[in-house]
């Protein structure tokens, strides 16, 4: 996978993670005795957001240099790779947390 595709995947993941964090905050502020699960999800998603931002920075550096020196990073973005699996799980959580 080329660095541009990797960057696009990471941006999509960042967007989905941001939505999840936002929905968790909305849930916690709107429900009097909000579930601790929502707080745990928010904390974990916030940590994931930081990791994804760092990966995006690395990917953008690779794109600028027009290199693909990090095969492990490229492997994450393969079809049915970890980034795809992560996007699937995050999308499922966003659907469940989305305010009705």
């Amino acid at each position: 996978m080329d660095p541009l595709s990797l960057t696009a995947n990471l941006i999509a993941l960042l967007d989905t993670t941001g939505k999840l964090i936002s929905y968790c905050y909305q849930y916690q502020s709107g429900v009097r005795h909000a579930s601790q699960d929502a707080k745990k999800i928010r904390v974990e998603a916030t940590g994931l957001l930081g990791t994804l931002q760092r990966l995006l920075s690395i990917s953008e550096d690779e794109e600028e240099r027009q290199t693909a020196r990090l095969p492990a990073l490229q492997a994450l973005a393969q079809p049915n790779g970890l980034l795809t699996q992560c996007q699937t799980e995050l999308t499922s959580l966003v659907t469940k947390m989305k305010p009705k």
Side-chain angles (χ1 to χ4, degrees):
M1 178 173 279
D2 65 85
L4 185 59
S5 297
L6 176 61
T7 300
N9 281 343
L10 289 168
I11 290 171
L13 271 169
L14 283 164
D15 181 59
T16 305
T17 304
K19 286 179 187 175
L20 178 60
I21 292 168
S22 175
Y23 293 159
C24 285
Y25 272 119
Q26 288 177 29
Y27 178 77
Q28 287 181 282
S29 66
V31 176
R32 182 175 249 216
H33 298 289
S35 166
Q36 285 295 97
D37 290 339
K39 181 179 180 181
K40 289 177 186 176
I41 291 169
R42 181 182 48 80
V43 169
E44 292 295 326
T46 301
L48 176 61
L49 188 68
T51 301
L52 292 171
Q53 288 170 331
R54 181 67 185 125
L55 287 173
L56 179 61
S57 177
I58 292 167
S59 175
E60 288 172 336
D61 288 346
E62 292 294 298
E63 188 179 326
E64 276 182 25
R65 292 185 186 116
Q66 296 182 353
T67 61
R69 297 176 299 149
L70 301 174
L73 188 58
Q74 296 296 322
L76 291 174
Q78 295 301 315
N80 297 317
L82 290 176
L83 292 181
T84 302
Q85 293 173 23
C86 186
Q87 180 68 38
T88 300
E89 294 300 321
L90 286 173
T91 300
S92 175
L93 282 171
V94 165
T95 301
K96 291 175 184 176
M97 294 298 297
K98 188 175 183 175
K100 298 193 175 7

